[in-house]
Amino acid sequence: MDVSVKPRRLESYLAGHWQRGAGDGTVLRDAATGAPVAVIDASGLDFAAALDWGRRVGGPALRAMTLHDRALMLKALGLRLMEMKELFYAESFATGATRADGWIDIEGGIGTLLSYASKARRELPNTRVLTEGAVEPLSKDQSFSAQHILAPRHGVAVHINAFNFPCWGMLEKLAPTLLAGMPALIKPASQTAYLTELMVRKIVETGMLPEGVLQLVSGAAGDLLDHVDGQDVVTFTGSAETGRRLRTHPAIVANSVPFTMEADSLNASVLGSDAAPGTPEFDLFVKEVAREMTVKAGQKCTAIRRAFVPRAHADAVIAALRGRLAKTPIGDPAAEATRMGPLASLAQREEVRARTRDLRAEAEVVSSDPDRVVLASGDAEAGAFLGPVLLYCDRPGAAEAVHDVEAFGPVATLMPYDELEEAVALTQRGKGSLVASLFTDDPGVAEEAVIGMAPFHGRILIGNRAAAKSSTGHGSPLPMLVHGGPGRAGGGEEMGGVRGIAHFMQRTAVQAPPRLLGAVTGRWSEGAATQAGTHPFRKSLADLKIGDQLVTGPREVTLADIEHFASFTGDTFYAHMDEASAKANPFFEGRVAHGYLVVSFAAGLFVDSAPGPVLANYGIDNLRFLTPVYPGDTLRVRLTAKEINPRANADYGEVRWDCRVTNQRDEAVAEYDVLTMVAKVWPPE
């Protein structure tokens, strides 16, 4: 970077305007060259007005949209950001990230946005609230029932993020927040805020988000948290010390503001007792530890800090890691040959060196000098470079610092164990972590280790030869899995698919007559009003209504039907074919019809065969067989439109039908949901 170029002044985007702080600001420097990149300051800005703006303007705009509308908005935004990714990569080099590191942050973040958009359209209804669980009947006559719903909170989600992932850290929180219908205010860590500010600026320029939905603070948070209330949410990623201080902020405590924290994490990796040198698992373990030490220069909340190996293999692991780490070119992150760039700042390098000195009180350095670095390119003094430091602690059971001190950089401590039980206990000494990994091909080792480690970890990865090519690796949080951990890791959860969306919604138990309950949830339930008339399969989404119902005529089940079905399908289970054996079964009085024969006959009763708006059947949910069907029994079907979800930007939608099959005594023999694709208009225009 040309040091003669004046660094740009970062701005905050609050209350619909780009604004500058009132002070001189702090200079942010290129992690590799030390050249000025930007000046950051947020002093004097009105954070109370910003939160009010989000609540009054952004919240109503989002809540007016359905979940599918919000998902399509995220998809369009993600695709636009992907088109601009080279702008972000160019800026990312200043943070110390190589191109590969930047891919995790930039394309990984945008991919998370797109993944959430896709999951929402596939898995969630096109409604403004979500239902959770089944309807709970509260009366015998079905006149009173209850349903848990999730509704968007009427506040702002304040996201206070860490410096190591300025894009992904924002987007992985933003995706579930906006899907839930809640506006967000982003407060990135200052060290790398210039990259976050660039991305937010480009998002605002697209005009794809309603006003008030996204705000940004570039600089210190000042009195921001003084103004949060009970409808807001605060999330924090960073040090446990800072997190504890924020969690006990008077406004957060007084208003019971939900607070999610992801903090320090002494993540562990265990080499199984079966994984001797020469096995694929041994090689995978060495590769993964080295990768977690060097990717993002070890500045990942999920990086491996403690590695536990069978004592007999300790020397072999040290030799293998030393050789692999020595082949990692360190230097200018923009250089193509570089595999590990600098830390985020000189101050961060000194912090890591200080924490490494703490660790050296109990462990010896076996690879790389923390006070001297050999570079393939770049300036060792001007840039925040540090070689990957591997330490060895021979008596981990008697040690303290190795289980308590996190050097947030390319530093890991190798420790031996004698029995697997000891290794599991040592992982627990981290007092709660985001992730652990285990490398084994032994099912017994996997069972014992995972059950022992699970209460102390948010995620556990098992690596072995079978998953070597497909595994996402120890340090990769995924949008469909929870990201968080107990204890010192913060006790929070992020992402996790639909679970992540629920963090920004209020769970409420609604008790009501079924008709009014359905008006709230958009879903028919037993006891609600129904209407007969035209066969519901003849109705397009334009005409179909919740509660539209068909009650069919009877269909007798004969012994010949059962025997034909058995012969035709090959299902000759004894209960269908052998009278004596069937009677000996405590559940049956004699030969019974196949459950799937009942389902097939039911379809024959309710299907309208002519071409029409029902385009396809794509599944059955919650199928239960409740009463045996015997030869001579007569079946009827009651089919009710239960839920209608028009698909946005498509000429069809999904309809969920409640199907209840009864016998001649009006006993339910089968209950399930039929899922169909139905045209919005029929005939097609």
Side-chain angles (χ1 to χ4, degrees), residues 16-75:
H17 303 285
W18 287 101
Q19 306 177 33
R20 292 188 175 186
D24 293 334
T26 301
V27 176
L28 306 178
R29 298 185 179 276
D30 187 299
T33 68
V37 176
V39 175
I40 190 167
D41 176 57
S43 60
L45 299 181
D46 191 341
F47 296 132
L51 291 173
D52 180 65
W53 180 261
R55 297 176 192 128
R56 287 190 301 105
V57 178
L62 279 176
R63 294 193 297 273
M65 304 168 70
T66 68
L67 280 152
H68 286 199
D69 291 335
R70 299 171 203 154
L72 287 170
M73 177 182 71
L74 289 188
K75 178 182 178 181

Side-chain angles (χ1 to χ4, degrees), residues 221 294 403 556 559 568 580 618 666:
T294 56
H403 306 299
E556 182 181 355
L559 186 62
F568 186 70
Y618 70 96
D666 201 32

Side-chain angles (χ1 to χ4, degrees), residues 332-420:
D332 182 349
E336 188 175 345
T338 297
R339 292 296 175 266
M340 187 175 111
L343 298 176
S345 67
L346 291 173
Q348 183 63 24
R349 181 176 67 178
E350 292 314 305
E351 166 67 18
V352 172
R353 283 175 171 170
R355 298 292 73 76
T356 303
R357 287 193 290 272
D358 294 339
L359 294 172
R360 292 177 74 174
E362 298 175 347
E364 61 177 313
V365 174
V366 294
S367 179
S368 187
D369 183 348
D371 298 316
R372 181 177 175 273
V373 61
V374 177
L375 299 181
S377 60
D379 187 329
E381 295 303 318
F385 295 101
L386 181 70
V389 180
L390 181 67
L391 300 103
Y392 177 74
C393 175
D394 189 61
R395 298 181 61 207
E400 295 292 338
V402 293
H403 306 299
D404 196 51
V405 174
E406 181 182 25
F408 198 73
V411 182
T413 304
L414 194 69
M415 294 172 259
Y417 70 85
D418 295 305
E419 301 293 338
L420 183 61

Side-chain angles (χ1 to χ4, degrees), residues 652-670:
Y652 62 90
E654 292 90 12
V655 177
R656 179 179 293 269
W657 306 84
D658 181 89
C659 186
R660 187 173 190 266
V661 186
T662 56
N663 61 20
Q664 65 274 14
R665 293 178 295 277
D666 201 32
E667 298 168 330
V669 301

Side-chain angles (χ1 to χ4, degrees), residues 104-230:
I104 301 170
D105 187 33
I106 297 165
E107 295 191 53
I110 298 171
T112 297
L113 204 69
L114 293 170
S115 177
Y116 260 97
S118 177
K119 286 182 72 65
R121 287 179 290 126
R122 289 198 317 268
E123 300 175 18
L124 299 178
N126 192 18
T127 57
R128 294 190 295 153
V129 299
L130 293 176
T131 58
E132 186 179 68
V135 171
E136 297 286 347
L138 300 178
S139 65
K140 290 183 178 180
D141 64 357
Q142 299 174 341
S143 64
F144 193 51
S145 53
Q147 172 78 66
H148 287 91
I149 67 167
L150 297 171
R153 301 176 71 89
H154 282 215
V156 174
V158 178
H159 296 311
I160 304 171
N161 297 333
F163 69 84
N164 51 336
F165 288 104
C167 296
W168 180 86
M170 172 179 68
L171 296 174
E172 65 96 0
K173 295 180 182 180
L174 191 62
T177 303
L178 299 190
L179 272 178
M182 196 172 188
L185 187 152
I186 308 297
K187 161 60 182 81
S190 292
Q191 285 164 283
T192 55
Y194 46 87
L195 181 51
T196 310
E197 193 246 30
L198 175 63
M199 181 170 280
V200 171
R201 191 173 289 277
K202 294 303 177 183
I203 290 173
V204 171
E205 288 175 1
T206 68
M208 291 179 170
L209 299 185
E211 190 57 77
V213 164
L214 175 62
Q215 299 184 83
L216 172 75
V217 176
S218 296
D223 66 350
L224 173 62
L225 295 186
D226 291 347
H227 307 292
V228 296
D229 66 26

Side-chain angles (χ1 to χ4, degrees), residues 303-649:
I304 295 170
R305 307 299 180 197
R306 301 176 299 151
F308 300 103
V309 302
R311 186 174 292 276
H313 306 328
D315 289 341
V317 172
I318 291 172
L321 277 171
R322 185 184 288 139
R324 193 173 189 95
L325 293 172
K327 296 177 182 178
T328 303
I330 305 169
D332 182 349
E336 188 175 345
T338 297
R339 292 296 175 266
M340 187 175 111
L343 298 176
S345 67
L346 291 173
Q348 183 63 24
R349 181 176 67 178
E350 292 314 305
E351 166 67 18
V352 172
R353 283 175 171 170
R355 298 292 73 76
T356 303
R357 287 193 290 272
D358 294 339
L359 294 172
R360 292 177 74 174
E362 298 175 347
E364 61 177 313
V365 174
V366 294
S367 179
S368 187
D369 183 348
D371 298 316
R372 181 177 175 273
V373 61
V374 177
L375 299 181
S377 60
D379 187 329
E381 295 303 318
F385 295 101
L386 181 70
V389 180
L390 181 67
L391 300 103
Y392 177 74
C393 175
D394 189 61
R395 298 181 61 207
E400 295 292 338
V402 293
H403 306 299
D404 196 51
V405 174
E406 181 182 25
F408 198 73
V411 182
T413 304
L414 194 69
M415 294 172 259
Y417 70 85
D418 295 305
E419 301 293 338
L420 183 61
E421 182 181 7
E422 178 189 0
V424 171
L426 289 170
T427 67
Q428 298 171 357
R429 292 277 301 275
K431 304 180 184 70
S433 299
L434 295 172
V435 58
S437 54
L438 170 70
F439 290 84
T440 182
D441 200 41
D442 186 323
V445 171
E447 179 186 17
E448 181 180 349
V450 170
I451 291 175
M453 292 191 293
F456 295 81
H457 296 84
R459 178 168 59 87
I460 298 174
L461 175 136
I462 301 176
N464 80 335
R465 63 198 72 186
K469 292 182 179 179
S470 58
S471 174
T472 52
H474 168 104
S476 299
L478 299 172
M480 64 287 295
L481 303 179
V482 293
H483 176 55
R488 69 177 290 157
E493 280 188 2
E494 295 171 5
M495 300 194 296
V498 175
R499 297 176 187 84
I501 298 171
H503 292 320
F504 305 99
M505 306 181 87
Q506 175 62 44
R507 180 180 292 105
T508 302
V510 180
Q511 299 169 261
R515 179 174 66 88
L516 300 183
L517 190 63
V520 174
T521 64
R523 175 177 283 205
W524 179 88
S525 63
E526 198 71 48
T530 61
Q531 47 281 341
T534 303
H535 193 299
F537 274 27
R538 304 309 308 162
K539 296 182 178 182
S540 68
L541 293 192
D543 301 316
L544 189 67
K545 299 292 185 293
I546 297 295
D548 280 357
Q549 189 176 86
L550 169 72
V551 178
T552 73
R555 165 72 185 257
E556 182 181 355
V557 179
T558 67
L559 186 62
D561 290 330
I562 296 171
E563 292 183 340
H564 173 74
F565 192 84
S567 175
F568 186 70
T569 63
D571 181 356
T572 56
F573 183 63
Y574 73 87
H576 310 308
M577 307 304 293
D578 186 325
E579 184 73 17
S581 297
K583 284 184 176 180
N585 187 308
F587 295 107
F588 306 130
E589 299 173 2
R591 293 174 68 177
V592 295
H594 306 69
Y596 298 109
L597 171 60
V598 172
V599 172
S600 298
F601 277 4
L605 288 169
F606 69 68
V607 165
D608 184 287
S609 60
V614 175
L615 306 175
N617 178 327
Y618 70 96
I620 288 176
D621 279 352
N622 309 314
L623 173 61
R624 293 292 184 272
F625 299 117
L626 304 173
T627 303
V629 174
Y630 299 100
D633 282 352
T634 301
L635 303 180
R636 292 179 184 270
V637 178
R638 187 197 68 187
L639 187 75
T640 311
K642 184 175 187 177
E643 187 175 15
I644 302 172
N645 286 308
R647 184 174 285 269
N649 288 356

